Amino acid sequence: SQTIHQWPATLVQPVGSPLSLECTVEGTSNPNLYWYRQAAGRGLQLLFYSVGIGQISSEVPQNLSASRPQDRQFILSSKKLLLSDSGFYLCAWSVQAGARLYFGPGTRLTVT
Amino acid sequence: TQLLEQSPQFLSIQEGENLTVYCNSSSVFSSLQWYRQEPGEGPVLLVTVVTGGEVKKLKRLTFQFGDARKDSSLHITAAQPGDTGLYLCAGDPLAGAGNMLTFGGGTRLMVKP
């Protein structure tokens, strides 16, 4: 069966510090991978998606970047965090665009 | 960009009451998914509706896809505290568009015992 891992679960970082969130998927090959951000109690904003190794598409201009160094690994990064980067970050995978999403447990990021 | 509007945004009801959540758009979707999310966790798929007019039931939850495939509803009968959570609809654009799922803003449901 497929599983998706995210870490860390929670993170408190000062403004201006770097960020690295990691997501890995097990039990599937060549998945589509996604990073979403969620404001408190609201819907999901798609940040990045990837259809293959090294292929990253950005949905919104922002202070973040993403990389996919391996087939089942997706990393969300920032060189200098802003207060507005606080939120709940969700990694997800699907077999193709538009198919059901399988979400990870999320990372709660607080920038202070 | 295809938008999905969910209503209401917040709903607080007593155990045993019925409720309906709506997901509306001016665009046509090839299918629509409903997710439920509990605090501090990722969303989990409840159901996917594909055919216009389709009705699917999941215990006390009834999902309907509009005839024109532009809207959907979720009806919960005799709500229970365990139904509390954030309900999200997500539409799959028409086949061939190559676009990602479009999510609604979510409906936060609280069922009080």
Side-chain angles (χ1 to χ4, degrees):
Chain A
S1 63
Q2 303 91 3
T3 55
I4 178 169
H5 304 278
Q6 274 187 254
W7 65 91
T10 60
L11 192 59
V12 180
Q13 292 284 96
V15 168
S17 63
L19 172 73
S20 181
L21 303 181
E22 190 162 344
C23 171
T24 58
V25 180
E26 296 177 357
T28 186
S29 296
N30 197 32
N32 278 15
L33 295 172
Y34 310 83
W35 278 111
Y36 284 90
R37 178 167 58 200
Q38 185 176 33
R42 297 300 293 142
L44 305 177
Q45 179 188 32
L46 179 61
L47 301 176
F48 301 95
Y49 67 92
S50 171
V51 298
I53 296 174
Q55 300 177 63
I56 308 295
S57 296
S58 175
E59 286 294 294
V60 293
Q62 58 204 307
N63 184 41
L64 303 167
S65 62
S67 62
R68 184 172 178 174
Q70 300 180 43
D71 181 46
R72 288 168 287 180
Q73 184 184 28
F74 206 21
I75 298 172
L76 183 68
S77 303
S78 174
K79 292 182 178 178
K80 289 185 178 182
L81 283 169
L82 305 172
L83 285 174
S84 57
D85 291 324
S86 293
F88 191 51
Y89 288 83
L90 288 158
C91 180
W93 73 271
S94 70
V95 296
Q96 64 184 36
R100 68 166 292 178
L101 291 169
Y102 298 86
F103 287 90
T107 295
R108 172 76 55 196
L109 172 66
T110 303
V111 182
T112 59
Chain B
T1 303
Q2 297 175 282
L3 299 176
L4 276 170
E5 298 286 338
Q6 277 189 248
S7 61
Q9 291 186 23
F10 303 97
L11 194 54
S12 180
I13 61 173
Q14 293 295 132
E15 182 177 2
E17 293 183 6
N18 302 332
L19 67 117
T20 302
V21 175
Y22 299 94
C23 178
N24 296 307
S25 176
S26 59
S27 304
V28 178
F29 293 95
S30 63
S31 66
L32 201 134
Q33 303 167 18
W34 283 93
Y35 294 81
R36 179 166 156 252
Q37 182 181 21
E38 300 196 14
E41 300 181 7
V44 176
L45 181 72
L46 295 172
V47 77
T48 301
V49 285
V50 179
T51 306
E54 180 178 7
V55 177
K56 281 191 174 179
K57 292 191 175 184
L58 189 65
K59 296 183 180 179
R60 293 174 294 99
L61 278 61
T62 301
F63 304 84
Q64 185 164 8
F65 202 13
D67 291 340
R69 290 185 290 143
K70 293 182 179 181
D71 52 81
S72 181
S73 63
L74 158 60
H75 183 79
I76 301 179
T77 303
Q80 299 178 0
D83 296 325
T84 293
L86 180 68
Y87 290 82
L88 295 158
C89 64
D92 179 14
L94 290 175
N99 292 322
M100 301 297 114
L101 288 177
T102 297
F103 275 88
T107 294
R108 178 158 297 281
L109 172 65
M110 178 177 291
V111 183
K112 301 175 183 177

